[in-house]
Amino acid sequence: MTLSPARVPAAVGERRLTATLYGYMFLDDFVLLYPVYALLFADTGLSLWQISSLFALWSITGVVLEVPSGAWADAVSRRLLLWLGPLLTAVGFALWVLVPSYGAFALGFVLWGARGALGSGALEALVYDELERLGAAGRYARVMGRARAAGLVGVMAAMAVAGPVFAWGGYPAVGAASVLACLLTAATATRFPEHRRPAEEGDSWAAALRSGLAAARGDRTLRAAVLLVPAVGAVWGALDEYTPLLVRETGVSDAFVPYLLLLIWTGATAGGLLAGPAERLGTRGLAALLAGGALALAAGALSGRPAGLVLVAVAFGGFQLATVLADARLQHRIEDTGRATLTSVAGLGTELATVAVYGAYAVLGGAASHGTVFAVLAVPYLVTALLLGARAGTRR
């Protein structure tokens, strides 16, 4: 694929792109069900094993669809996938509150997983290619860091609003607001600029998939960048689904849970905003960041007190920052051909690792507290930090 020449001044084009991106990310995460859906599952009578199986089904759906959807995005329109996905999620959220049951929750997670697969790879590829067309590819980490921060602001706004809305109308009210947010997200996605030329006759998603995978096989540095993405993003991405249960375990009331979750995601938002300056961190710096986050997560989770959640917030901030930096490293190493495909391959690795974390959580959670499980699952970050440190030492 090739990009058409820029038709608007670079500054104007970048402003349009970033404004649409930030609005899209905010609305995509402004879902009032986020801080309470684990509680909805528990209140419906689901066991921890059943809840974990739902999370695993969510990730398995992503595993099945992740790479084909990335190749599809390379073969057709990335913007198409970005507005189609939120519509699927809207249907799933509606099912959750209209017919709450294990079957409805499972179908909702399948739709949500499909939505995640459609957007994964397509969003990063669209943004990077548009920035590159405008001569601003070097700003990718800063732009995506702010975009992720905008998404987390959406999460925090949803948490702040979820409490009073839930107190007023219960699960039906937060469910209706979540469906509306999905519809607004889809509408915003139609405003994304996309200057890629249509696929040439004979091109297909299968051809795009073969091209992207061939690039990864032929470049060891690219393979390492692909593997770093799941190593950084999978564990904390899975643990965030259990944070309401961790917060509840500290002894606070259910009505206060969203506000303490707000604290945790404030830390994650700060991590995203630091992505621009932190891009200068080398491999050793990234290793130190992961090690520090692991220690903060373990200490905060084991404290068993609301105050310990401050350390959990610090850890999530570090992991969010590391996730953005890992994505930026990957994008800088990919040529235009197969960008969405290779980003989706990294996403596939994240989904597979996430499924493993859900399974581990279900096993460990049957015999230990949520705080203990969080601490145990901080260990993989220490291992990744050691491997990165050893790699940096070898290069030196």
Side-chain angles (χ1 to χ4, degrees):
M1 303 294 174
T2 57
L3 301 178
S4 61
R7 298 180 181 177
V8 294
V12 175
E14 187 175 345
R15 282 198 297 270
R16 177 189 172 187
L17 172 65
T18 56
T20 304
L21 175 63
Y22 300 156
Y24 178 86
M25 295 293 283
F26 176 87
L27 290 170
D28 194 37
D29 281 320
F30 185 65
V31 177
L32 272 61
L33 274 170
Y34 279 175
V36 298
Y37 69 69
L39 306 182
L40 169 63
F41 302 156
D43 291 344
T44 305
L46 272 60
S47 67
L48 180 60
W49 269 100
Q50 288 177 308
I51 293 174
S52 293
S53 72
L54 290 174
F55 294 155
L57 178 62
W58 185 14
S59 288
I60 290 170
T61 303
V63 167
V64 173
L65 299 178
E66 182 79 34
V67 176
S69 67
W72 188 24
D74 276 331
V76 292
S77 168
R78 293 161 181 170
R79 179 171 56 197
L80 168 66
L81 274 60
L82 292 177
W83 66 255
L84 179 61
L87 299 181
L88 300 179
T89 315
V91 175
F93 289 160
L95 287 173
W96 284 5
V97 295
L98 291 177
V99 284
S101 62
Y102 183 84
F105 297 149
L107 180 56
F109 270 121
V110 168
L111 292 172
W112 199 354
R115 179 264 176 277
L118 291 176
S120 176
L123 178 66
E124 294 86 349
L126 184 149
V127 172
Y128 192 92
D129 281 347
E130 289 298 315
L131 286 174
E132 187 174 46
R133 184 184 68 87
L134 297 169
R139 290 175 52 81
Y140 176 81
R142 183 183 300 274
V143 168
M144 287 305 296
R146 291 176 178 176
R148 292 181 184 273
L152 292 176
V153 169
V155 172
M156 293 189 294
M159 290 175 179
V161 176
V165 171
F166 182 77
W168 171 70
Y171 293 118
V174 296
S178 301
V179 170
L180 177 60
C182 292
L183 297 178
L184 292 174
T185 303
T188 302
T190 64
R191 301 294 302 162
F192 272 116
E194 186 175 23
H195 292 82
R196 296 171 68 248
R197 293 177 181 173
E200 297 178 2
E201 187 177 355
D203 283 355
S204 66
W205 71 267
L209 176 59
R210 288 193 298 269
S211 175
L213 295 179
R217 287 195 299 268
D219 187 336
R220 186 174 64 179
T221 303
L222 179 57
R223 287 200 305 273
V226 168
L227 292 173
L228 182 61
V229 172
V232 170
V235 175
W236 83 279
L239 288 180
D240 76 53
E241 304 303 330
Y242 297 96
T243 50
L245 302 177
L246 177 68
V247 172
R248 176 188 266 179
E249 192 175 70
T250 64
V252 301
S253 66
D254 286 353
F256 200 66
V257 167
Y259 300 107
L260 287 178
L261 291 176
L262 185 64
L263 169 66
I264 294 175
W265 290 109
T266 297
T269 302
L273 292 174
L274 291 172
E279 193 172 13
R280 290 171 288 183
L281 286 176
T283 303
R284 287 184 180 275
L286 183 58
L289 179 65
L290 291 175
L295 295 175
L297 178 63
L302 288 173
S303 71
R305 301 172 179 269
L309 297 175
V310 173
L311 288 176
V312 177
V314 171
F316 272 40
F319 297 147
Q320 174 72 298
L321 174 57
T323 300
V324 175
L325 296 179
D327 173 51
R329 287 187 175 201
L330 174 60
Q331 298 303 326
H332 289 318
R333 285 167 171 78
I334 300 176
E335 298 296 334
D336 173 58
T337 301
R339 183 175 302 281
T341 301
L342 285 170
T343 305
S344 289
V345 169
L348 172 62
T350 301
E351 295 294 348
L352 289 171
T354 299
V355 171
V357 175
Y358 290 148
Y361 202 106
V363 172
L364 296 171
S369 67
H370 291 290
T372 300
V373 178
F374 268 66
V376 170
L377 292 176
V379 173
Y381 283 114
L382 292 176
V383 174
T384 301
L386 289 173
L387 292 175
L388 285 173
R391 182 183 177 191
T394 300
R395 283 184 172 181
R396 186 174 181 179

